[in-house]
């Protein structure tokens, strides 16, 4: 079969294909261009937002993104000052004055004072501590009081068995019997001398012996009294049946038992301390003052004792003693303040704060603290103008607090009268006036 295709006819051309690497490069370039355009749009929007936030709004206020609203600046570039408040006057009728019961106080000039506060500790009044001891040695049979017990003067506290006391009584009884025999012999000799049956010398010898025995009896009696035996008990010692071997130790004064050193069965010596009874109606507060503050605290200066354990209860007292010795380790000296202890609220060993008012600096004007009223961040007082029932509200600048007073730096002069009690009522009236 003959082939009709001619030799000079060219075969059909295939389409030319791009390499894969070129295609990937083109796609990456397109992606990068797209990302760059998107970033430029975002940056432009953020820059426009910042410019809008820092530019003033039509109302003259900054955008909320800037922060709190600030006052508009004046043409000279300084901010306008807030308008000053005009003083307010309050007028009360005579009826209102009598109903409110205002009390006035005069601003006075006083020496500027400061408060020095130091830690302190409660101690018993050492001048009212009474030690209880026994004058005879022996064995404690019974103890009738406990630590913290309140005792009355003369109440039994302990019973001591004493062989020494019994022996002293027996000697006293024996000496009394000998004195009785000497007395009878003396009387008999006197009768014999009167009859001429005895000589005067014999009478004198017997009289001397009788006087010696009488002196010994008196000495033994005094010894029994010194051994804490009562005079009525000594008077009853006519024979051995009245000899006692136990002695009762009585309370020497009214107070509270703060120390007990004996128990039943314990052997004690004559003069040994058994108890300590103290009167806690007043106590001592001992504080430590540094040597830099010695000049600020003097004997007789007023002091205020604050007790944190009793919700800040304040007690008044005065400096009674300043120790002339300085502790070498702490560089402090002891200061003693005596305060009343009503109800026994202060217990021995409690920690307290002691405050002293010290006079320092020049004279300053002071007013009662109760006269000051707070209006926001301002402090005001109400000054009597001189007309009945008229008071002027004044802004004051205050200094440090001085006890019940406060120092006034500006706003009130010495001699002016301010409302010390009832100023809160005037504050309410002034608030209604401002409306």
């Amino acid at each position: 079969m003959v082939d009709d295709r001619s030799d000079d006819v060219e075969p059909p051309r295939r389409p030319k294909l791009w390499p894969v690497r070129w295609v990937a490069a083109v796609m990456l370039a397109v992606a990068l261009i797209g990302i760059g355009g998107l970033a430029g749009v975002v940056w432009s929007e953020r820059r426009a937002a910042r410019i809008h936030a820092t530019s003033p709004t039509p109302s003259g206020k900054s955008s909320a993104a800037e922060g709190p609203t600030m006052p508009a600046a004046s043409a000279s570039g300084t901010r306008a000052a807030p308008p000053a408040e005009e003083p307010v006057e309050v007028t009360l009728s005579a009826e209102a004055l009598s109903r409110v019961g205002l009390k006035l106080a005069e601003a006075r000039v006083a020496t500027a004072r400061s408060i020095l506060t130091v830690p302190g500790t409660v101690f018993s009044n050492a001048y009212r501590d009474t030690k209880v001891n026994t004058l005879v040695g022996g064995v404690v049979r019974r103890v009738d009081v406990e630590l913290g017990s309140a005792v009355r003067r003369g109440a039994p506290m302990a019973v001591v068995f004493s062989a020494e006391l019994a022996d002293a009584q027996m000697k006293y009884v024996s000496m009394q019997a000998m004195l009785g025999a000497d007395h009878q012999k003396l009387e008999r000799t006197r009768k014999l001398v009167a009859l001429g049956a005895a000589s005067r010398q014999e009478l004198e010898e017997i009289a001397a012996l009788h006087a010696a025995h009488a002196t010994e009896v008196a000495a033994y009696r005094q010894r029994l009294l010194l051994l804490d035996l009562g005079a009525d008990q000594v008077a009853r010692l006519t024979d051995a049946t009245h000899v006692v071997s136990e002695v009762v130790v009585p309370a020497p004064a009214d107070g509270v038992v703060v120390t007990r050193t004996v128990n039943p069965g314990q052997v004690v010596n004559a003069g040994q301390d058994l108890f300590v009874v103290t009167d806690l109606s007043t106590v001592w507060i001992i504080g430590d003052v540094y040597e830099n503050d010695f000049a600020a605290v003097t004997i007789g200066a007023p002091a205020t004792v604050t007790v944190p354990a009793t919700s800040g209860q304040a007690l008044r007292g005065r400096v009674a003693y300043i120790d002339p010795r300085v502790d070498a380790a702490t560089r402090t000296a002891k200061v003693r303040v005596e305060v009343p202890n009503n109800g026994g609220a202060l217990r021995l060993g409690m920690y307290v704060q002691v405050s002293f008012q010290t006079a320092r600096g020049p004279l300053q004007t002071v007013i009662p603290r109760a006269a000051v009223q707070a209006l926001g961040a301002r402090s005001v007082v109400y000054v009597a103008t001189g007309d009945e029932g008229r008071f002027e509200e004044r802004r004051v600048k205050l200094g440090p607090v001085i006890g019940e007073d406060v120092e006034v730096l500006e706003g009130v002069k010495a001699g002016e009268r301010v409302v010390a009690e009832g100023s809160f009522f005037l504050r309410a009236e002034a608030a209604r006036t401002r409306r």
Side-chain angles (χ1 to χ4, degrees), residues 282-334:
T282 61
V283 293
W284 284 355
I285 307 298
I286 307 297
D288 296 316
V289 176
Y290 286 97
E291 56 184 343
N292 294 337
D293 299 318
F294 287 168
V297 181
T298 58
I299 294 179
T304 302
V305 178
T306 305
V307 188
T310 58
S311 303
Q313 178 186 2
L315 302 173
R316 307 290 181 182
R318 290 190 176 275
V319 178
Y321 171 78
I322 300 176
D323 197 331
R325 299 163 297 177
V326 176
D327 189 293
T330 62
R331 310 309 305 170
T332 60
K334 301 294 183 182

Side-chain angles (χ1 to χ4, degrees), residues 63-131:
S63 172
E66 179 69 19
T69 303
M70 303 297 292
S74 62
S76 62
T78 59
R79 300 188 183 275
E85 294 188 6
E86 297 182 358
V88 176
E89 286 192 356
V90 179
T91 303
L92 300 179
S93 63
E95 180 183 354
L97 282 174
S98 61
R99 184 175 66 253
V100 175
L102 301 181
K103 290 187 178 180
L104 303 181
E106 185 175 322
R108 55 188 178 85
V109 175
T111 303
R113 296 179 178 271
S114 61
I115 303 298
L116 172 65
T117 301
V118 300
T121 308
V122 179
F123 289 88
S124 64
N125 187 337
Y127 295 156
R128 299 189 177 184
D129 288 348
T130 305
K131 294 182 179 180

Side-chain angles (χ1 to χ4, degrees), residues 5 8 25 27 111 126 148 172 196 211 233 250 267 277 290 295 303-304 316-317 338 345 362 378 415 424:
R5 293 179 295 183
D8 58 350
M27 293 179 65
T111 303
Y172 175 72
Q233 292 179 298
V267 177
V277 176
Y290 286 97
T304 302
R316 307 290 181 182
E338 184 174 335
R378 299 183 298 124
F424 63 91

Side-chain angles (χ1 to χ4, degrees), residues 8 20 28 31 43 92 131 171 268 331 337 350 384 394 400 407 415 418 431:
D8 58 350
V20 176
L28 179 60
W43 179 83
L92 300 179
K131 294 182 179 180
K171 287 184 178 181
V268 295
R331 310 309 305 170
V337 179
M350 288 179 66
R394 287 193 198 171
E407 181 183 342
V418 298

Side-chain angles (χ1 to χ4, degrees), residues 104-389:
L104 303 181
E106 185 175 322
R108 55 188 178 85
V109 175
T111 303
R113 296 179 178 271
S114 61
I115 303 298
L116 172 65
T117 301
V118 300
T121 308
V122 179
F123 289 88
S124 64
N125 187 337
Y127 295 156
R128 299 189 177 184
D129 288 348
T130 305
K131 294 182 179 180
V132 183
N133 49 45
T134 176
L135 299 179
V136 295
V139 180
V140 178
R141 293 295 194 193
R142 189 177 76 242
V143 179
D144 297 328
V145 295
E146 302 290 342
L147 278 176
S149 301
V151 295
R152 304 289 295 179
R153 180 183 179 90
M157 301 186 68
V159 176
V160 177
F161 171 82
S162 175
E164 178 186 358
L165 178 63
D167 182 62
Q169 294 175 85
M170 291 299 297
K171 287 184 178 181
Y172 175 72
V173 172
S174 175
M175 291 304 301
Q176 274 191 315
M178 291 178 62
L179 179 62
D182 288 344
H183 182 71
Q184 292 179 359
K185 186 176 181 179
L186 177 61
E187 292 297 326
R188 186 169 55 252
T189 303
R190 283 176 178 173
K191 292 178 180 179
L192 291 176
V193 169
L195 295 175
S199 66
R200 173 71 65 178
Q201 183 179 359
E202 292 178 344
L203 177 62
E204 291 176 354
E205 291 176 356
I206 294 174
L209 185 61
H210 178 272
H213 286 166
T215 302
E216 291 180 356
V217 168
Y220 276 105
R221 181 180 184 279
Q222 189 63 30
R223 186 186 178 203
L224 292 177
L225 294 176
L226 294 177
L227 291 178
D228 212 17
L229 205 64
D232 55 340
Q233 292 179 298
V234 175
R236 289 195 297 267
L237 280 176
T238 56
D239 53 51
T241 59
H242 294 89
V243 173
V244 296
S245 58
E246 293 183 344
V247 59
V248 177
V249 180
D254 297 347
V256 177
V257 180
V258 295
T259 302
R260 170 181 161 175
T261 61
V262 294
N263 289 312
Q266 183 174 340
V267 177
V268 295
N269 299 320
Q272 179 178 336
D273 293 337
L274 308 181
F275 309 93
V276 175
V277 176
T278 186
D279 182 3
L280 294 179
S281 59
T282 61
V283 293
W284 284 355
I285 307 298
I286 307 297
D288 296 316
V289 176
Y290 286 97
E291 56 184 343
N292 294 337
D293 299 318
F294 287 168
V297 181
T298 58
I299 294 179
T304 302
V305 178
T306 305
V307 188
T310 58
S311 303
Q313 178 186 2
L315 302 173
R316 307 290 181 182
R318 290 190 176 275
V319 178
Y321 171 78
I322 300 176
D323 197 331
R325 299 163 297 177
V326 176
D327 189 293
T330 62
R331 310 309 305 170
T332 60
K334 301 294 183 182
V335 176
R336 187 181 77 217
V337 179
E338 184 174 335
V339 295
N341 186 23
N342 299 327
L346 295 178
R347 297 181 178 273
L348 304 184
M350 288 179 66
Y351 289 107
V352 296
Q353 297 291 331
V354 188
S355 300
F356 307 95
Q357 288 189 8
T358 60
R360 293 178 179 173
L363 299 178
Q364 300 291 346
T365 302
V366 297
I367 60 175
R369 294 171 57 186
V372 181
Q373 292 291 327
L375 294 181
R378 299 183 298 124
S379 296
V380 299
V381 297
Y382 296 91
V383 183
T385 62
D387 298 335
E388 185 68 24

